[in-house]
Structure formats: structure tokens, C-alpha cells
């Protein structure tokens, strides 16, 4: 199926985000190249990691937002877990590469050259990142795109890392404590490894239909209890999250003599209430007569 929706504003912003990251990467790469600093190399890699993150956001906004089709009747929202897991693995590999170069630089006693130029170029790149991060956080909130806002916050944390690296290199250049450079590179690598591991962990959870946090299930049960008047009980509630899309299913026990129309009205009311809070959501309710009550789950009277 070839469905090409018009590019939503959030997707356009994610695309610009990639271009900004590309410019920042060029600046930081140049700074690392001029100075021979492994910490600046690690900082540039952090930007590469961020680009991978922005690409996932863009892909998830574009591909995952496609409506269900004959080939994917449950939608495409899980696609983002695949790209996120792949990116997580690449991030982990990048972190190992940085650790390796940091160790080599430490053993060789590498000294930084042209520190002022390298610091100035990195400071410029960091300034661009800070401005863009602020814009992403604001626009993400305005457009109701948590993915964009999260991307902005990630970028802001990169800015903080970069400031730490800048301070450390300035100190190393001023004092001649050359080992500060590989030390900072190693610390940055550990941070990158951590974000890669978390990305893989979250993606596997999504692909395996891991249960959502208990407070979310409790909230859904509370909504069912609040809007299930006329029913007897709701049990066997299961939910799973597929990217932005929430799936909810449960059994609704009603009096056996209730008409189909009346029980359907209860279902519609509950579905509307869940969707009002958790849109987009796909909700399936199995209606049963009172003999099927288990005296567990959510009591509706
Ligand atoms: Zn049942
Ligand atoms: Zn219906």
C-alpha cells in the first residue's frame, strides 16, 4: 500500500533537527580533528547518537502514524521499536569505540594541540545545540508531540555534557594535566553506553508487549469503574502499548437479560472515557452474562 500523508509540522521539525545535528556534527568533528582530543571526539560521537535519535523520531512520526492497512491490520506503531533497538546497538558500539580510543590516548600520553581553536568551534556548536534544544522543547509542547519534546530534552542533556567536556579541556590545556582528556572521553562513553542500553531495554519491552506501569493499569480500571454503570463486573483486563497506540481489552459482565443495545451503550461509554484520556487507543470489550462473573477485577456495583 502506498499512502503518503502530507508531512505534519512535527515531522518537519524532526527533519530540521537532523539538519541542525549534521551541522553541529561537522563543527565538533572539525574541533576533534584539529586538537586530537579524544574527549572532543567523544562529544562529536554524542551528536551522532543524537542524530540517530532524531532519525527514529522522524521515522516514527512518518511511518508509525500510517493508518492500519490490509498488510498490517493492527497499524504500524511498533515500527519505532525496531529502529530504536537498532540505534541502541549502534550507540553501544560507538561507546566501545570511544573507550578504546580513550585507552589508546591514555597509554600513548596524547597531548592536545590547538586547544583555543578547538574550544571555540565546540563552544559554537554547543550554542547552536542549546538554542535548538530550547526551540524543540517549546514547539514539542505546543504541537503535543512528546517525542519531539523528549528529543529536545535529550539534546539539552548533550549540551550539559559538552559544557563539562569544554571545561575539562580548558583545564587540561591550562594546567598540562593531559590525562583529563582521555578521562573525560571515558566518562562521556559511559554516558553514551547507558543511553544505548536504555534504548535497547525499552525497545525489547515494547516488542515483547511488556505490561504498562501499574499506575496506568490502575487508572484504566478506575475509568472502567467510573463509567461502567449498569454492568456487574469487569475482569481479565489486559493492556499493551504499541508505540503511541494503546491496546485495551477486557470482559464486561452484565445482567443476562440486558439487551445487546444497552450493553453496547455501556461499552461505548467506557471506550469514549478511556480514549478521552489515552488517545489513540484500540479497545475491545467482550460482553458476558452474569453467570460468568468471577468476583475479581473491577466491581461495577
Ligand atoms: Zn470472562
Ligand atoms: Zn460498537
Amino acid at each position: 500500500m502506498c499512502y503518503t500523508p502530507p508531512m505534519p509540522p512535527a515531522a518537519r521539525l524532526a527533519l530540521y533537527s537532523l539538519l541542525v545535528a549534521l551541522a553541529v556534527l561537522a563543527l565538533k568533528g572539525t574541533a576533534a580533528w584539529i586538537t586530537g582530543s579524544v574527549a572532543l571526539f567523544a562529544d562529536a560521537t554524542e551528536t551522532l547518537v543524537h542524530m540517530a535519535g532524531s532519525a527514529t523520531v522522524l521515522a516514527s512520526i512518518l511511518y508509525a502514524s500510517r493508518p492500519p492497512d490490509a498488510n498490517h491490520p493492527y497499524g504500524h506503531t511498533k515500527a519505532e521499536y525496531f529502529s530504536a533497538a537498532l540505534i541502541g546497538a549502534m550507540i553501544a558500539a560507538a561507546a566501545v569505540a570511544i573507550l578504546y580510543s580513550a585507552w589508546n590516548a591514555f597509554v600513548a600520553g596524547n597531548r592536545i594541540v590547538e586547544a583555543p581553536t578547538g574550544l571555540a568551534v565546540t563552544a559554537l556548536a554547543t550554542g547552536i545545540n542549546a538554542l535548538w534544544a530550547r526551540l524543540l522543547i517549546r514547539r514539542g509542547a505546543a504541537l503535543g508531540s512528546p517525542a519531539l519534546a523528549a528529543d529536545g530534552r535529550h539534546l539539552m542533556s548533550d549540551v550539559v555534557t559538552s559544557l563539562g567536556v569544554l571545561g575539562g579541556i580548558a583545564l587540561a590545556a591550562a594546567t598540562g594535566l593531559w590525562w583529563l582528556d582521555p578521562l573525560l572521553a571515558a566518562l562521556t562513553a559511559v554516558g553514551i553506553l547507558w543511553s544505548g542500553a536504555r534504548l535497547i531495554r525499552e525497545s525489547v519491552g515494547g516488542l515483547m508487549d511488556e505490561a504498562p506501569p501499574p499506575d496506568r493499569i490502575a487508572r484504566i480500571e478506575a475509568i472502567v469503574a467510573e463509567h461502567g454503570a449498569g454492568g456487574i463486573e469487569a475482569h481479565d483486563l489486559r493492556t499493551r502499548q504499541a508505540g503511541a497506540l494503546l491496546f485495551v481489552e477486557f470482559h464486561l459482565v452484565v445482567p443476562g437479560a440486558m439487551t445487546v443495545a444497552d450493553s453496547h451503550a455501556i461499552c461505548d461509554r467506557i471506550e469514549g472515557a478511556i480514549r478521552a484520556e489515552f488517545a489513540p487507543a484500540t479497545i475491545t470489550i467482550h460482553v458476558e452474562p452474569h453467570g460468568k462473573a468471577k468476583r475479581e477485577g473491577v466491581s461495577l456495583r
Side-chain angles (χ1 to χ4, degrees):
M1 290 279 283
C2 264
Y3 172 77
T4 326
M7 195 180 249
R12 199 172 314 135
L13 216 53
L15 185 66
Y16 292 155
S17 217
L18 267 181
L19 297 178
V20 169
L22 199 63
V24 167
L25 179 67
L27 285 173
K28 287 186 172 179
T30 308
W33 173 265
I34 294 173
T35 56
S37 155
V38 272
L40 289 185
F41 168 65
D43 193 45
T45 308
E46 178 101 64
T47 297
L48 203 62
V49 167
H50 181 77
M51 281 183 77
S54 303
T56 322
V57 170
L58 182 61
S60 68
I61 291 172
L62 285 182
Y63 185 78
S65 63
R66 290 180 180 197
D69 54 33
N71 223 4
H72 301 94
Y74 289 93
H76 302 82
T77 48
K78 272 194 171 187
E80 66 182 281
Y81 295 133
F82 280 105
S83 44
L86 196 69
I87 287 166
M90 291 192 307
I91 288 172
V96 171
I98 294 171
L99 281 175
Y100 182 70
S101 352
W103 176 250
N104 280 345
F106 179 74
V107 170
N110 255 10
R111 266 142 221 276
I112 304 165
V113 294
E114 306 277 358
T117 316
L119 288 177
V121 174
T122 305
L124 173 66
T126 306
I128 294 175
N129 262 350
L131 288 177
W132 188 253
R134 237 169 70 108
L135 186 137
L136 277 183
I137 294 171
R138 285 187 178 177
R139 296 289 296 148
L143 291 170
S145 169
L148 264 190
D151 202 33
R153 278 193 298 276
H154 174 201
L155 193 57
M156 205 50 113
S157 73
D158 288 358
V159 169
V160 175
T161 314
S162 297
L163 289 178
V165 168
L166 277 174
I169 302 246
L171 190 66
T175 60
L177 298 173
W178 59 270
W179 48 264
L180 274 174
D181 183 38
L183 177 68
L184 281 167
L187 285 177
T188 308
V190 170
I192 294 175
L193 197 60
W194 174 252
S195 55
R198 206 176 49 187
L199 205 52
I200 295 174
R201 173 71 195 78
E202 284 171 5
S203 315
V204 169
L207 288 172
M208 287 302 294
D209 286 338
E210 204 170 72
D215 58 321
R216 167 168 299 188
I217 296 173
R219 180 64 200 135
I220 293 170
E221 285 179 341
I223 294 174
V224 172
E226 197 182 326
H227 295 87
I232 295 171
E233 147 187 309
H235 60 238
D236 291 1
L237 184 125
R238 289 193 297 177
T239 82
R240 63 194 176 94
Q241 190 76 39
L245 185 60
L246 175 73
F247 285 87
V248 180
E249 55 184 90
F250 62 90
H251 297 183
L252 179 71
V253 182
V254 299
M258 184 181 269
T259 63
V260 174
D262 284 350
S263 60
H264 184 252
I266 301 175
C267 292
D268 273 355
R269 210 164 55 222
I270 296 175
E271 287 174 23
I274 294 177
R275 250 184 225 111
E277 197 163 321
F278 293 103
T282 296
I283 305 151
T284 311
I285 305 174
H286 174 77
V287 175
E288 297 173 331
H290 60 264
K292 296 287 183 182
K294 288 183 170 181
R295 289 185 175 73
E296 60 174 51
V298 185
S299 174
L300 298 176
R301 57 183 190 189

